[in-house]
Amino acid sequence: AVLATELRCQCPKTIPRINFEEIQSLKVTTPGPHCTQTEVIATLKNGQDVCLNPEAPLVQRIIQKILKPTRPS
Amino acid sequence: AVLATELRCQCPKTIPRINFEEIQSLKVTTPGPHCTQTEVIATLKNGQDVCLNPEAPLVQRIIQKILKPTRPS
């Protein structure tokens, strides 16, 4: 059986800011039959899921930071 | 009980390329106690999970494309 949660959008609302250090993982979902909008869901280290605005520059900065962490030279 | 899959890295190997159109969602995981490396896991529309190299420019291009789809002007 398909889970009900997969058949609808998961982000009724987004939060405006987030502390980068709290983020465990970030999931970006493309629009599809279940939901016509792009969704960005951050899973925090405390287990909580929060939604972010896909169009917010914040999201791109977070992804850049995860993908290219500053390395000691 | 904590799932065993959360206690280890999920990406033993990465694939070099992927068709953007096949991607349903993309998950970026930060290093943590369970896994010391950054991981990028793409879930495809056919349900398959594949891992991508977090340092590959491809990953950034995919994320850009998901977050800022071309809109008709």
Side-chain angles (χ1 to χ4, degrees):
Chain A
V2 175
L3 289 176
T5 50
E6 293 179 0
L7 298 175
R8 61 174 81 173
C9 293
Q10 295 174 73
C11 290
K13 57 182 170 185
T14 59
I15 62 170
R17 66 182 69 192
I18 193 166
N19 181 354
F20 174 75
E21 299 297 330
E22 291 181 57
I23 298 175
Q24 172 64 55
S25 68
L26 197 74
K27 188 179 173 187
V28 181
T29 307
T30 61
H34 67 296
C35 177
T36 58
Q37 66 193 40
T38 299
E39 296 189 306
V40 176
I41 303 168
T43 300
L44 307 186
K45 287 173 182 167
N46 66 9
Q48 195 187 353
D49 281 344
V50 298
C51 290
L52 301 172
N53 180 352
E55 294 181 14
L58 171 72
V59 171
Q60 304 239 7
R61 284 204 303 274
I62 290 171
I63 291 169
Q64 296 283 338
K65 209 164 167 182
I66 295 176
L67 293 180
K68 297 200 173 170
T70 310
R71 292 190 184 81
S73 57
Chain B
V2 175
L3 289 175
T5 51
E6 293 178 2
L7 298 176
R8 60 173 81 173
C9 293
Q10 295 174 72
C11 290
K13 56 183 169 182
T14 60
I15 62 170
R17 64 182 69 192
I18 193 167
N19 181 355
F20 173 76
E21 298 298 328
E22 291 179 57
I23 297 175
Q24 173 63 55
S25 68
L26 197 73
K27 187 179 174 186
V28 182
T29 307
T30 61
H34 67 297
C35 178
T36 57
Q37 66 193 41
T38 298
E39 296 190 305
V40 177
I41 303 169
T43 300
L44 307 185
K45 287 173 181 164
N46 66 10
Q48 195 187 355
D49 281 344
V50 297
C51 290
L52 301 173
N53 181 351
E55 294 181 14
L58 170 72
V59 171
Q60 304 239 7
R61 284 205 302 276
I62 291 171
I63 291 169
Q64 297 282 340
K65 208 164 168 182
I66 295 176
L67 294 180
K68 297 199 172 172
T70 310
R71 291 189 183 84
S73 57

